[in-house]
Amino acid sequence: MEKFELNILGCGSALPTMRHLPTSQVLNVRDKLFMIDCGEGAQLQLRKMRLKFSRINHIFLSHLHGDHCFGIAGLLSTLGLLGRHGEFYIHTHPEAEKIFRPFLDYFCYELPFKVIFEPLPVGDSSLIYEDKSIEVTSFPLKHRVPSNGFVFKEKQGLRHLNAEMVKFWKVPIKDLQMIKEGHDWVDADGNIVPNKVLTKDASISRSYAFCSDTAYYEKIIPFIEGVDLLYHEATFAEDAKFRAMQTFHSTARQAAQIALKAGVKKLLIGHYSARYDDDKMIFEEAKSVFNNTIAAKEEMKIII
Amino acid sequence: MEKFELNILGCGSALPTMRHLPTSQVLNVRDKLFMIDCGEGAQLQLRKMRLKFSRINHIFLSHLHGDHCFGIAGLLSTLGLLGRHGEFYIHTHPEAEKIFRPFLDYFCYELPFKVIFEPLPVGDSSLIYEDKSIEVTSFPLKHRVPSNGFVFKEKQGLRHLNAEMVKFWKVPIKDLQMIKEGHDWVDADGNIVPNKVLTKDASISRSYAFCSDTAYYEKIIPFIEGVDLLYHEATFAEDAKFRAMQTFHSTARQAAQIALKAGVKKLLIGHYSARYDDDKMIFEEAKSVFNNTIAAKEEMKIII
């Protein structure tokens, strides 16, 4: 299978702790790296996890709180020093450019590449990125400031050729593409060979959804329904349910309830509050509601 | 002796490596913490080194390159979350406020304390901070952008009372302060008791100088002459002497030559270029010129 792997660079919340860094992730789709959020220290984690800076062309910023974006300037500076060229996209709230541009113009004025701010939809959903292998859709979360969730979906690939049958029927190369696209084939004598004889099913299309920061919000369910992996913030445990409500964050139980209702295959929790000495209580709370839960940890790699 | 300790939070240069973080240090003077530069990840290192955020009231920024100041916003946000009050001073190039203020106004608009930007002298030296125990002087370094060196000097303390003699002469409490200040004492019968009988020498006044980033620049010598500890950047070894010249950095040999000419007691080198796989070559080059050299490392604490 081609790569579809999530790398956790940081999974803490705003206050630094001994255990966690602020939010940042990298989704590796066939060796293209898509960064999601870029908290302070993200570039140091990239180095530590041996993820190639040069393979990142897009960052998706969920929202404009510092613990999700203070690593941007350092990362861009480094990309400049590494001699990067071309274009670099930051998908973010429409206000971000106004805030970041003067800062970058001062500190990163010699960048040999172009930084393009792509505004995310606010309070609405839309397809925000597409290439031959994936589609990224943004949808609204519920937080103190506008916050966006993202779902990364592999596109359905072409059917795989059944090499033995293709050889048996002596199919000429020029017809292979059409067969991979799903068409039947007609030989020189007019025999119709059904497509399913000549091909095997295409690879399963995988999907990953990122939801942080957000309060418990059932309106996200249609966007994340059935995904292979859902990252949902679980800043608090139920003991701090009121605090979660006040700050528009979720408890572990709420994250798991969303996972359950959306019928996702696996739940990954993170964005742990600094108030907890370890993440065990949070993990167990989520797991008691949704069994297939894992707790994010720095430098974790999850093959989806 | 009262605390006068240097903590190394980061001692790498701009490109992140597996070994080093960008520049940041904390000088602990009698449990007041003075931060010098604040590269990305400085707040994470504070946590790791168990240095108390609440004891920092002043940051001194040598110059406005990202690897020396991209940790500021994260640190200030965290101080806000920790409920800090009062005033917080950033001693920095006069242009800094224009660049940082809008950024902070956006991301840290709810800070419960006041951030004051104190402009550093540009191309000139001056006393920039003073309290009852230390004086901080800023002086110009030589870099691609205006860069400031700092020297932290303990003030000469009062003389220490010789408890036995004070008791023997039955000196009343009201006269002790005058004696600590160095005056002789006259008893009720008119006998003059010389000050040196009643006191011992004051503690030695210690000093620390920070010089980074800078090319080899002999004009800094009068400011750092005889200091107990000199931190001088040694970005390159002599193999990259030309590169050092081009980028207004120093080689390890040059750092050691400055230490030698300034007659400092100990040299600490750092700001290592990412081009070196380890810092041994740089260290040995400096040590061959100035024997009492140490190589900075993250989480190092040096008692001065």
Side-chain angles (χ1 to χ4, degrees), chain A residues 14-16 18 21 40-44 47-48 50 64 69-71 73-74 77-78 81 95 99-100 103 106-107, chain B residues 14-16 18 21 40-44 47-48 50 64 69-71 73-74 77-78 81 95 99-100 103 106-107:
Chain A
L15 271 181
M18 302 285 282
L21 290 163
E40 184 174 356
Q43 63 163 334
L44 307 167
R47 199 57 114 192
K48 208 165 169 188
R50 299 183 188 279
L64 296 179
C69 63
F70 280 170
S77 299
T78 293
L81 290 171
E95 272 189 357
I99 312 307
F100 275 106
F103 197 81
Y106 189 84
F107 285 107
Chain B
L15 268 183
M18 302 286 283
L21 290 164
E40 184 175 354
Q43 62 163 334
L44 307 168
R47 200 55 114 189
K48 208 165 165 184
R50 300 182 185 282
L64 296 178
C69 62
F70 280 171
S77 299
T78 292
L81 289 172
E95 272 190 357
I99 311 307
F100 276 105
F103 197 80
Y106 189 83
F107 285 108

Side-chain angles (χ1 to χ4, degrees), chain B residues 170-302:
Chain B
K170 298 193 176 95
V171 181
I173 289 174
K174 69 170 177 53
D175 293 345
L176 295 181
Q177 180 63 22
M178 175 201 84
I179 292 170
K180 288 199 277 188
E181 285 167 6
H183 301 283
D184 296 339
W185 182 71
V186 188
D187 74 2
D189 303 329
N191 300 312
I192 293 174
V193 187
N195 186 271
K196 64 178 176 186
V197 170
L198 294 169
T199 63
K200 300 173 186 167
D201 285 347
S203 305
I204 292 162
S205 148
R206 295 162 291 182
S207 52
Y208 169 62
F210 174 93
C211 300
S212 186
D213 293 356
T214 188
Y216 179 82
Y217 189 46
E218 294 191 354
K219 287 191 179 155
I220 65 177
I221 291 174
F223 298 103
I224 62 174
E225 212 143 27
V227 295
D228 294 283
L229 181 67
L230 165 65
Y231 176 83
H232 195 291
E233 70 135 289
T235 308
F236 298 104
E238 284 285 307
D239 68 317
K241 194 176 176 173
F242 184 68
R243 181 89 188 123
M245 209 175 72
Q246 273 183 322
T247 56
F248 290 80
H249 283 297
S250 302
T251 67
R253 168 177 298 277
Q254 291 172 334
Q257 280 166 339
I258 291 287
L260 202 65
K261 291 189 181 179
V264 308
K265 303 218 174 65
K266 194 181 273 196
L267 169 65
L268 175 68
I269 52 168
H271 201 263
Y272 315 110
S273 162
R275 69 160 64 198
Y276 300 105
D277 283 338
D278 69 55
D279 318 320
K280 214 177 148 203
M281 182 163 94
I282 292 185
F283 171 64
E284 283 170 0
E285 183 177 300
K287 198 170 167 69
S288 72
V289 175
F290 186 82
N291 187 53
N292 201 5
T293 295
I294 49 178
K297 247 177 82 167
E298 277 68 16
E299 284 124 68
M300 184 184 251
K301 185 191 289 289
I302 301 163

